[in-house]
Amino acid sequence: MEENGRRRNPLGLKLPRRTFIKGALLGLGSAALLPGQAGAAWEAFLQKNFREMSDAEVRAVIARLEKEAAGEWGKEIKIDASKAKPGVKFGYGLDLSRCIGCRKCVYACTEENNQSRTPQIHWITVLRFAKGEKWLDLENSEKYYNPKEVPEEGFFYLPVQCQQCENPPCVKVCPTKATWKEPDGIVVIDYNWCIGCRYCMAACPYGARRFNWARPGIKAEEINPDTHYLGNRPRYKGVVEKCTFCVQRTRAGKYPACVEVCPVGARKFGNLLDPESEIRYLIKNKRVFRLKEDLNTEPKFFYFFAT
Amino acid sequence: MIIVFLKALKRVFQGDVRYYAWVAFLLTVIGFGVSAYLRQADQGLIVTAMRDQVSWGFYIANFTFLVGVAAAAVLLVIPAYLYNFKPIKEIVLFGEMLAIAAVVMCILFVVIDMGQPLRVWHLLPLVGTMNFPSSLLVWDVIVLNGYLLINVLLVLYALARLAAGKEYKLALGLPLILLSIPWAISIHTVTAFLYNGLSARPFWNASILAPRFLASAFCSGPAIMLILLQVIRKLTRVEIDNRAIFKIAELVAYTMGINLFLLGAEVFKEFYSGSVHAAPLEYLYFGLHGKAQLVPWMWTALAFNVSAFFIFLIPRWRENLLLLNIGAILIFVGVYIEKGLGLIVPGFIPDALGEIYEYWPSATEGMIAAGIWALGALLYTIMIKFSVPIYTGELLKKPARG
Amino acid sequence: MKRLVFLIMAIMLHGIFLMASSSTAATDAQEMENGKHGDLPRFLVPSAASQENFPCSRCHNFRTADRTKRKLTAYHRNIELKHAEDQRWCYDCHEGDQLRLQNGKLVAFTESYVLCGQCHGTIYRDWKAGIHGKRSGEWDGDKLYRVCANCHDPHKPRFRAIEPKQPPMKPSDIKDR
């Protein structure tokens, strides 16, 4: 042993050990920092997938989340967990002959749905296309248009948000079943189950999903306290989010925020299973199309021209 | 046998100045990587250059490249066992260890890319809600961990037999070895399918993707192996027949040839048909709407791959060790570019709504990635340091000194 | 006695039937007259007619109507007519405190949509079905409809261009701390 010790480089021997200890301490230290992102309580860590919870468990989880949110955001919020109404499948209509590209829908949505302001998250993207021979030339579309006034001569506007596909590619690829299609047709995300792998974002053909690259930054006074577990409750760093057809409003019979705010009435919404609804009327009487129909995702977001 | 293992373990902490310098260097890089990761864990993935438009980047690029390297260990296994080519049979062990290090790196790259890594248990069956068989990512988790297990078992079995002074017999190992061949092909096929199945990304939604993955894996993995084998031969008492090295080089020539052919096929299809789906390939090689960040890299990768192909194809050239090593490095760099950023980024450019966001990894991403590579290198170094004395049989002799 | 009861009952029944049929006839006639087809929205946000000038009869009862098409100089100068101004002018739609349809029938301001629907039939049809105009209220209950004049100035209906809200941030501008 001693002979080996003489041959060994003493400094070299000490260095790996010291570095090992340093690394171990760093590791432990980082373990102390990490709980910020996973929730302090052991409960939060062990929380089940929403679909596997009983009603009682859901209530308990919501109570805990409401308390957490009050501490985190400095505002009392209510989290609802209302289920889908039977006989309802939501559909959306967008009148391209009316949209003027004012982006009021984008900001009404961010306010209603507690989207992060810093870093900025918008669930709705409004694309501007030049009128002409080429239809929906996505490569030459413009998202960052900023004229003094809209609408601009020679252009039309096409807002895009989650299309709530009947055959959603995002649901197909999610490794943990953190996203699924509800019976009323809305594709939802359990923000406490999502592992943030972003496979769903790669799979979405409409660029509808957003990731919380950092902790959402919202001021307490801007927070909308009426939230739904699967919808607009305040989210976390490292999870995916997207339009949910304002599940907190639509399951209570109200229109989504974007529909209500549109100043020119370009947005329509209703129950596809109700033959008297306006969405069924427009599908029947106007020629509707959906984006990227060749992908067979069967979106429930119908574009049309009323005139 | 345990005694031999313990002696070998002691050997890991013994070495000359070069060894300590190497380990210290690796530990430093790992340290930088860890501190960069702490920053990422605190602030979130915003410290990377990834954004909604390009939501996978350098980490997944490295992951994809390394899955190929891991799968390529099998290229050594096939001639060794199926053709009983003795020169290679002896060195399969080092290939399997490379597979282990590569798979560990793959797992690390995926975990640090996750937004909520502590929730990784959600992926498990029974305790979590594993989306099997629908999600290809779940398949990837299963096959990668299975491949890790197979290779660890094979290495431990080989070392155990060597430590006992026996040749490793095929009898017990053969089923595992035979399993490892289709398994290795499957890990890379599953990874390819992960991208392939997304109709949202036309650059990936091409049938040629899985064959291209395999072809590029089977030239880049062995290329690394060639260099590593020469390093082992130089620094230890392991004898590696040049015939083994040249045989591997010959196989690399064929796989690179296939890789180039498949690239040509893709280029023809996109540019001749001329649909809008050619946009990502146009971005890579010619730039799109004035955005051309990756263009010089792709042409460099192409030049490297073509040169390497000829070096490995012509026997006189590949049997010149200097040219051989140059060729191996050229392939490593060429495939790293082509299959790394050159595969991931154009899947997102243009994005689903036609936007072009030119992604280039941030410094933090680079440091974390370097840290993981250093960790893989350290793991391989330790495995070699541990196994070589067992392999050469040094530890079996009773020590002459007290 | 029994015969008397039967007679009275028969007369009452007959009367009831007559009343019923006549009321349907009345509503049918009314529907045809007002140009209604199918269900009208139940919940209407009424538009306010111009407060300072309503009721029109306040002045117009004391004036003789000069129905020559001209540019007004004395009153109503603030109203710029840019709505089929070559074909129509004030008296083609207005008649005192009410609005006048093409066939001469008068409708109240609260039913101004009937007037608009004469020329804008396809939009009128869409509006009744709920796919024209701003949507609010409850999608499965009390939908709120607005009359045309609520959004469109009947004299100068073309919408002004408005300033758009801010464009989104570019991804390269979204930075960490």
Side-chain angles (χ1 to χ4, degrees):
Chain A
M1 267 293 250
E2 292 73 33
E3 294 169 48
N4 286 347
R6 253 187 269 131
R7 265 210 307 259
R8 273 187 247 135
N9 179 341
L11 191 63
L13 185 60
K14 279 198 206 127
L15 186 58
R17 211 179 273 158
R18 196 186 287 156
T19 321
F20 175 78
I21 292 169
K22 220 196 312 190
L25 280 175
L26 270 172
L28 283 170
S30 66
L33 281 174
L34 282 171
Q37 79 188 29
W42 192 235
E43 263 177 62
F45 180 69
L46 291 180
Q47 185 180 318
K48 285 153 72 169
N49 185 319
F50 183 73
R51 280 187 290 177
E52 294 196 324
M53 291 189 220
S54 66
D55 284 344
E57 284 173 313
V58 168
R59 278 195 295 274
V61 162
I62 283 181
R64 193 195 86 233
L65 289 175
E66 282 176 350
K67 219 163 64 123
E68 273 175 23
E72 179 86 19
W73 303 103
K75 188 164 184 174
E76 294 290 321
I77 64 162
K78 275 180 44 51
I79 302 179
D80 180 35
S82 58
K83 297 206 184 19
K85 283 204 191 95
V88 172
K89 208 165 212 26
F90 291 118
Y92 207 108
L94 198 114
D95 189 349
L96 289 174
S97 61
R98 305 285 176 218
C99 179
I100 54 170
C102 67
R103 295 198 185 102
K104 286 205 167 107
C105 50
V106 176
Y107 291 93
C109 172
T110 56
E111 282 164 24
E112 169 68 31
N113 290 296
N114 291 323
Q115 281 153 44
S116 169
R117 310 298 196 266
T118 322
Q120 187 193 72
I121 293 186
H122 287 169
W123 286 355
I124 302 176
T125 302
V126 185
L127 295 175
R128 184 189 76 177
F129 294 90
K131 288 182 183 167
E133 291 149 358
K134 217 168 184 186
W135 176 237
L136 284 200
D137 182 9
L138 281 172
E139 237 178 87
N140 289 309
S141 67
E142 183 56 65
K143 183 172 143 178
Y144 302 101
Y145 62 91
N146 193 17
K148 288 195 57 206
E149 287 182 333
V150 285
E152 303 161 275
E153 182 73 38
F155 294 100
F156 68 95
Y157 304 88
L158 189 127
V160 183
Q161 61 212 68
C162 175
Q163 310 278 290
Q164 314 291 353
C165 304
E166 271 298 278
N167 186 15
C170 54
V171 169
K172 201 161 51 174
V173 300
C174 176
T176 58
K177 297 192 188 170
T179 187
W180 66 89
K181 190 178 63 169
E182 284 270 299
D184 54 2
I186 306 181
V187 177
V188 297
I189 302 167
D190 180 353
Y191 308 116
N192 287 77
W193 195 253
C194 172
I195 62 174
C197 70
R198 307 188 298 292
Y199 197 8
C200 58
M201 290 176 72
C204 176
Y206 308 104
R209 284 171 170 257
R210 306 280 175 264
F211 187 67
N212 281 288
W213 299 101
R215 181 190 172 278
I218 325 173
K219 296 202 194 84
E221 57 264 22
E222 289 172 339
I223 293 185
N224 171 9
D226 299 312
T227 71
H228 192 284
Y229 183 91
L230 296 170
N232 64 334
R233 64 182 169 110
R235 274 81 64 192
Y236 312 98
K237 168 181 72 176
V239 299
V240 172
E241 55 179 67
K242 64 178 190 63
C243 163
T244 55
F245 274 1
C246 277
V247 63
Q248 68 279 1
R249 295 176 60 101
T250 51
R251 284 192 179 168
K254 297 190 253 184
Y255 282 104
C258 48
V259 172
E260 287 217 345
V261 83
C262 178
V264 296
R267 289 168 169 272
K268 310 293 166 204
F269 184 82
N271 179 5
L272 288 166
L273 300 178
D274 172 13
E276 304 297 317
S277 64
E278 58 243 44
I279 185 73
R280 285 283 291 269
Y281 178 91
L282 72 90
I283 291 174
K284 180 163 162 229
N285 293 292
K286 308 291 174 189
R287 278 157 297 290
V288 299
F289 73 92
R290 294 167 298 177
L291 294 179
K292 305 197 186 185
E293 272 170 325
D294 53 327
L295 301 182
N296 282 341
T297 49
E298 301 297 328
K300 294 198 289 291
F301 201 97
F302 299 89
Y303 294 91
F304 65 102
F305 290 89
T307 66
Chain B
M1 182 189 76
I2 309 276
I3 298 174
V4 175
F5 273 15
L6 284 174
K7 281 195 201 163
L9 192 59
K10 216 172 76 164
R11 286 291 187 98
V12 172
F13 296 97
Q14 294 168 338
D16 61 4
V17 176
R18 291 180 300 176
Y19 177 68
Y20 286 125
W22 171 243
V23 170
F25 166 70
L26 291 178
L27 285 172
T28 313
V29 176
I30 293 173
F32 276 119
V34 167
S35 77
Y37 183 67
L38 288 177
R39 184 162 165 261
Q40 182 182 288
D42 173 48
Q43 282 195 49
L45 284 158
I46 199 169
V47 302
T48 71
M50 293 187 278
R51 296 288 178 262
D52 293 330
Q53 288 79 353
V54 179
S55 47
W56 277 342
F58 196 50
Y59 298 148
I60 299 296
N62 277 284
F63 161 79
T64 313
F65 176 73
L66 285 166
V67 175
V69 167
V74 86
L75 197 65
L76 299 180
V77 173
I78 294 174
Y81 292 106
L82 292 188
Y83 300 109
N84 212 14
F85 187 70
K86 206 165 177 301
I88 288 186
K89 201 161 142 196
E90 290 153 355
I91 50 168
V92 166
L93 190 66
F94 303 121
E96 286 163 358
M97 290 196 290
L98 175 64
I100 293 173
V103 172
V104 168
M105 283 197 271
C106 286
I107 293 173
L108 282 171
F109 269 116
V110 165
V111 169
I112 55 106
D113 184 63
M114 282 166 63
Q116 292 270 355
L118 290 180
R119 292 184 186 174
V120 72
W121 65 270
H122 293 179
L123 262 175
L124 302 173
L126 297 172
V127 287
T129 49
M130 175 187 255
N131 191 4
F132 185 85
S134 179
S135 172
L136 264 298
L137 211 144
V138 164
W139 282 79
D140 220 8
V141 167
I142 294 172
V143 296
L144 274 179
N145 284 292
Y147 190 64
L148 181 64
L149 186 66
I150 290 174
N151 279 295
V152 165
L153 287 176
L154 280 172
V155 166
L156 284 178
Y157 171 69
L159 288 178
R161 288 201 66 86
L162 285 171
K166 304 188 182 107
E167 273 256 340
Y168 39 113
K169 269 215 321 241
L170 289 187
L172 270 176
L174 192 62
L176 259 184
I177 289 161
L178 288 181
L179 181 63
S180 76
I181 297 172
W183 201 284
I185 296 177
S186 79
I187 64 168
H188 217 27
T189 308
V190 166
T191 307
F193 281 174
L194 204 152
Y195 300 108
N196 204 194
L198 303 181
S199 60
R201 310 283 166 190
F203 184 68
W204 295 337
N205 197 215
S207 318
I208 212 173
L209 200 74
R212 269 196 85 187
F213 264 49
L214 288 166
S216 59
F218 289 164
C219 49
S220 56
I224 301 176
M225 210 55 242
L226 287 174
I227 297 178
L228 287 175
L229 287 174
Q230 291 174 72
V231 168
I232 294 172
R233 187 164 68 176
K234 193 131 202 278
L235 294 179
T236 70
R237 281 184 233 178
V238 174
E239 285 168 18
I240 299 176
D241 200 326
N242 264 347
R243 279 184 298 157
I245 295 191
F246 297 149
K247 196 69 182 173
I248 296 172
E250 189 189 336
L251 296 170
V252 168
Y254 304 147
T255 50
M256 179 48 89
I258 297 172
N259 190 33
L260 288 171
F261 173 75
L262 293 176
L263 173 63
E266 192 152 32
V267 165
F268 171 78
K269 179 254 183 187
E270 292 297 1
F271 289 126
Y272 187 86
S273 321
S275 75
V276 293
H277 293 319
L281 208 63
E282 208 184 313
Y283 170 72
L284 279 181
Y285 288 100
F286 302 106
L288 195 63
H289 298 293
K291 310 273 172 75
Q293 199 178 67
L294 287 181
V295 171
W297 292 90
M298 295 310 292
W299 286 104
T300 307
L302 185 64
F304 281 10
N305 284 340
V306 171
S307 319
F309 171 64
F310 285 110
I311 292 176
F312 281 98
L313 184 69
I314 298 165
R316 232 175 354 109
W317 288 357
R318 71 166 173 259
E319 286 170 15
N320 172 333
L321 282 176
L322 175 65
L323 267 181
L324 180 85
N325 286 322
I326 291 175
I329 293 173
L330 288 179
I331 289 190
F332 179 92
V333 175
V335 175
Y336 183 71
I337 295 173
E338 202 184 60
K339 207 161 159 193
L341 284 185
L343 171 83
I344 303 301
V345 168
F348 295 99
I349 294 183
D351 82 344
L353 297 178
E355 186 177 351
I356 297 176
Y357 163 58
E358 288 213 281
Y359 163 88
W360 189 258
S362 67
T364 310
E365 273 176 290
M367 266 205 283
I368 296 177
I372 295 179
W373 275 93
L375 204 129
L378 185 65
L379 188 61
Y380 194 73
T381 306
I382 290 175
M383 284 194 285
I384 293 288
K385 206 71 171 55
F386 179 85
S387 59
V388 160
I390 302 177
Y391 178 83
T392 54
E394 291 168 50
L395 294 175
L396 288 177
K397 303 191 203 88
K398 289 273 177 224
R401 314 178 280 273
Chain C
M1 187 59 190
K2 255 195 252 179
R3 265 197 222 150
L4 194 57
V5 173
F6 273 134
L7 188 60
I8 293 169
M9 279 178 67
I11 293 172
M12 281 172 65
L13 276 169
H14 192 63
I16 289 168
F17 275 128
L18 271 175
M19 272 167 45
S21 58
S22 70
S23 66
T24 359
T27 39
D28 277 346
Q30 203 170 17
E31 283 203 332
M32 290 308 287
E33 276 199 348
N34 289 348
K36 289 187 210 174
H37 299 279
D39 295 316
L40 267 184
R42 280 169 59 211
F43 298 96
L44 289 172
V45 176
S47 81
S50 161
Q51 296 293 0
E52 62 242 29
N53 290 324
F54 194 81
C56 318
S57 51
R58 246 189 323 147
C59 297
H60 282 274
N61 277 351
F62 305 100
R63 302 182 71 79
T64 41
D66 177 1
R67 293 177 186 258
T68 328
K69 188 172 176 199
R70 65 195 182 280
K71 188 160 169 30
L72 297 174
T73 48
Y75 286 94
H76 299 308
R77 275 192 307 237
N78 56 324
I79 298 180
E80 189 193 346
L81 185 61
K82 263 190 94 70
H83 191 185
E85 61 271 20
D86 292 336
Q87 294 85 26
R88 310 170 75 79
W89 85 304
C90 322
Y91 276 114
D92 288 310
C93 294
H94 288 277
E95 189 62 60
D97 288 334
Q98 291 177 293
L99 301 164
R100 181 158 41 81
L101 303 178
Q102 276 296 93
N103 60 3
K105 289 281 173 250
L106 298 177
V107 291
F109 269 102
T110 48
E111 289 175 326
S112 55
Y113 47 85
V114 182
L115 177 70
C116 310
Q118 293 178 118
C119 292
H120 302 283
T122 45
I123 291 183
Y124 184 44
R125 199 171 56 203
D126 284 350
W127 173 79
K128 280 189 287 177
I131 66 161
H132 179 96
K134 200 165 149 70
R135 278 259 60 75
S136 60
E138 296 180 0
W139 61 265
D140 67 345
D142 299 343
K143 288 190 226 215
L144 211 54
Y145 286 72
R146 291 161 179 76
V147 297
C148 323
N150 224 291
C151 297
H152 303 276
D153 178 350
H155 306 122
K156 194 176 178 194
R158 173 160 265 218
F159 283 157
R160 289 179 294 113
I162 56 173
E163 193 189 341
K165 289 200 161 243
Q166 270 200 314
M169 285 176 73
K170 293 218 167 113
S172 37
D173 293 331
I174 297 178
K175 298 259 197 295
D176 54 348
R177 278 187 262 124

